[in-house]
Every structure is written in structure tokens, then in C-alpha cells.
Amino acid sequence: MEPSPTAPAGVGTLALITATVFGFATSVTMIGPLLLDLGREFGVSVAAAGLLATAMSLPWAIGAPFAGHLSDRLGRRPLMVLALAGVGALSLASAESPSFTVLLVARFLAGCFGSFGPAAAMASVGDLFPSGKRAMAMGWLNMGFSLAALVGVPLAGAIDGWFGWRSSFRASGLLLLALAVLVQTTFPRPQRRAHGEGVIATYRVVWGVPRLGNFLVANLLERVCFFMTTLYLPAFLMLAYTLNAAEVAPALSLVALGNLGGNVVGGWLGDRFSRPAIFVAAQLLAGGVALALFWFHTGWVASAALGALFGLANASSRPGILAYGADLVPAHRGAVLGLVGITNQGGVVLGSALGGLVVGLGGYHALAVAIAVGGAAAAGLATPLAWRRRG
């Protein structure tokens, strides 16, 4: 039987976890609205400036499994504090960058520190919340990503417009440092679950879990489909309905709001029904909605509504499947969720790359089919997981 949490977790702890994920997600994605100003400042193209996102995401993905294993041995809180403080300090340093090269190096180092945080935060949910409330808690954790898209990134862009891009980095850095202090002083300290196991021994146990590959690849495909949809939706709407970037913003806000609602719905469902089964149903629905969204030109309002429905359906699959992953190997929870971190970041990279390739070769109809097929494949891989006894 899984041991009970050694410290109570309430609304304040849950809010702090959500805020922590919000801070991490904003620090990665805030580059988007700053690209033009960064390009002008350092005399580089927008494409070259986009490498700043890659420079941070790559070490973040590579370091995730090692950071997850380390959190099993040292505890979640120290790793979360290290990540928040490291990324925060390097964000402040980024604001003073004299050249693009220095900024690129600072972002890479921030990614190295950032890799310690998300897996530890996810694992802390498994430690601090009982199984019957774990999907709900994962929904609130996942909501940090939605809030970053809805609030964090637009706010970074607004600060850039008012005070310049350096102020956006300063604001992000100060937020992360403040969160580091809050986590250090108020976050519960659950018991450590691994004692001295090495990385190889740990992952030998983890990889022995039946159908772990199904779980990880299903999560990867879900992330690929999500990023293919959200990344190429603005361009689709602008081309289909002759809109500019400002006019398409409300539709994107609707998608983010749908995503927020999906996390709440998915958390409620995941604590009451089979978590893999919810993932299967939600991915089939999300794929079908994406097919309709990119295939039919049914009017701006209808397309915006379909985008919101996609966000709702897709997000409802996340809390349960993350809670399912947290239950697989409680003694090595951080290690398992470190692997989830790799698939999350892999979805960002593959979703953007494959989406661009598909649109370039076959247009948005081809993208619609690709997302629908990806959702069906994710559902198919997760179907055998639903046959296992619910954790």
C-alpha cells in the first residue's frame, strides 16, 4: 500500500504549486512576444531570436529524468527552490545581456536549472494528495500552464511594450525568486521515498512497469497534437477570415479559457472514473474537434467556439493521466514523472516541427487529418492502460 503523506496539503499548497508551474511556463514561453524587439536590439532575424526558446527547452528536457530521480532522494522542496531561484537569477542576468550570445548562454543555463523543477512539482502532488484527490490536484497543477498562456505571456508582452524587453525579464526573474522564497518557507516536506538507489538501478525498476511505453508515448502524442493545434491556429484563423493579430487574440483567449475549464473537469472526472479511460475518450473527442476546426470554414465565431471546445476536451485528458503516472511507482515517483517531462518537452519540439512540415506539404486540411490521427493513436495506446485496475 502507498504510504500516506507526512504533511497535510491544503488549498494554500495547491495554489503555490499552480503558481510555481505558472512561473516556470511563463519563463519559457514569454519569448514569443519579445522576438521582434530582441531581433532589432541585437541585429538578428526573428528565426534566430527564436533559438532562445530552444536553448532553454533542450537542457530542460534532457535534465528532467535525472532531476526527477534526484528529487526522490533529496525531496521535492529543495529541487523546486533550486529551479525557481536559478531560473529567476538567470532571468535577471538575461535582462543585462550586452549581446545575443550572452543572452543565449543565459537562457541555456536557465534551462539547466529549470529542469529540476517541474518533475519535482508533479511528484509533490503525488506525495501530498491522496489518490482520491490526486487528479483534481494535477488539474490545478496543469492549470499553471493555461494561466501562463492566458495571463503570463500577454503580460510579458505588455511590459515589453511599456518598458522594453529587459523589464520583461526582470519581472519574470523577480516573480520566480519570490516563489522560491515562498516554497522554501511554506511548502510541506513529505518523506523521501528512495534511499541510495543509483540512476541505473532506479530506471531498471521504472522500465519494468508493464505498458510504461504506452503511457509515455500516449502522453507524447497528446502533447504533439496540442502544440500542432495551438501553434498553427492563429495563422489559420488569420488566413481563413482575413484577420490581423489583434483581431485573432479573442479566439486564442477562448482556447485558453477552454483549457482552464478542461483542467477542472478532468480533475473531477479523474478522481471518480478510470483515468486512462477518460484520456482515451478525451483524445478521441479532441482529435475530432480539431478535424472540424481546420477542415471547415464555418465562420469566425464557430471556429473560435471549436477552438475553445478543443482546449476543453484536450485539457480534460491531462489531470487523470498525470495522476495515473504518479501512481505507477510511488517509491520512484520523481523518476517516472521525469520521463513524463521528456515527453512533454518532446511534444513542444515535435509539434512545432511536424506541424510546419504538414502545413507546408498539404495545407491545413492535412494538419486537420494529422491531429485527428495523432489523437486516435494516443487513445489507442492508452486503451490497454484502462484494463488495469484503477490506482
Side-chain angles (χ1 to χ4, degrees):
M1 180 179 295
E2 181 181 348
S4 300
T6 59
V11 174
T13 298
L14 196 55
L16 186 54
I17 291 172
T18 303
T20 296
V21 173
F22 168 81
F24 285 135
T26 299
S27 71
V28 175
T29 55
M30 63 177 279
I31 284 294
L34 312 184
L35 289 178
L36 289 177
D37 286 345
L38 288 167
R40 283 193 290 264
E41 174 85 11
F42 296 117
V44 299
S45 67
V46 171
L51 291 174
L52 293 167
T54 304
M56 190 170 186
S57 296
L58 184 61
W60 199 303
I62 293 173
F66 304 102
H69 166 70
L70 197 59
S71 78
D72 285 332
R73 300 185 63 178
L74 302 180
R76 318 304 182 195
R77 188 173 69 180
L79 274 294
M80 292 168 65
V81 172
L82 176 64
L84 288 165
V87 178
L90 283 158
S91 294
L92 293 178
S94 297
E96 311 305 325
S97 298
S99 69
F100 182 74
T101 300
V102 172
L103 181 57
L104 196 67
V105 171
R107 293 290 286 178
F108 178 85
L109 293 175
C112 293
F113 277 98
S115 67
F116 290 104
M122 283 192 287
S124 72
V125 170
D127 295 340
L128 295 169
F129 293 88
S131 183
K133 294 183 178 180
R134 198 164 290 154
M136 174 276 298
M138 284 294 186
W140 282 94
L141 176 145
N142 208 52
M143 201 174 290
F145 294 100
S146 304
L147 289 171
L150 189 65
V151 178
V153 175
L155 184 57
I159 293 173
D160 175 26
W162 295 329
F163 306 109
W165 66 267
R166 296 181 188 273
S167 293
S168 296
F169 277 107
R170 293 187 186 108
S172 175
L174 291 173
L175 170 65
L176 291 166
L177 290 175
L179 286 170
V181 172
L182 283 174
V183 171
Q184 176 61 35
T185 55
T186 67
F187 199 77
R189 182 187 297 174
Q191 68 182 33
R192 300 172 189 174
R193 294 174 179 267
H195 303 280
E197 296 93 333
V199 174
I200 295 176
T202 294
Y203 280 103
R204 186 179 294 121
V205 173
V206 169
W207 281 112
V209 174
R211 301 195 184 280
L212 178 68
N214 286 55
F215 165 66
L216 293 174
V217 178
N219 186 70
L220 173 66
L221 288 174
E222 180 275 325
R223 292 287 83 189
V224 168
C225 293
F226 174 75
F227 281 102
M228 280 200 293
T229 302
T230 55
L231 186 60
Y232 294 99
L233 179 60
F236 167 76
L237 293 175
M238 285 188 276
L239 291 171
Y241 304 114
T242 320
L243 304 174
N244 59 35
E247 291 168 334
V248 84
L252 303 183
S253 296
L254 281 176
V255 175
L257 288 171
N259 201 275
L260 285 171
N263 283 305
V264 176
V265 171
W268 186 87
L269 291 172
D271 286 332
R272 289 162 177 81
F273 305 101
S274 167
R275 290 160 180 172
I278 293 166
F279 181 88
V280 170
Q283 282 305 297
L284 290 173
L285 176 59
V289 171
L291 182 64
L293 172 60
F294 288 108
W295 192 277
F296 301 110
H297 293 191
T298 52
W300 182 90
V301 174
S303 290
L306 284 171
L309 181 57
F310 171 84
L312 177 69
N314 190 78
S316 66
S317 73
R318 297 293 293 162
I321 204 67
L322 291 176
Y324 174 88
D327 288 342
L328 285 175
V329 191
H332 300 293
R333 183 170 281 142
V336 173
L337 294 174
L339 295 175
V340 172
I342 290 181
T343 60
N344 287 343
Q345 293 297 323
V348 177
V349 176
L350 289 176
S352 57
L354 291 176
L357 179 63
V358 170
V359 171
L361 293 176
Y364 287 99
H365 282 178
L367 183 68
V369 173
I371 296 170
V373 170
L381 285 166
T383 297
L385 306 180
W387 300 338
R388 298 182 61 183
R389 183 178 302 184
R390 180 172 178 256

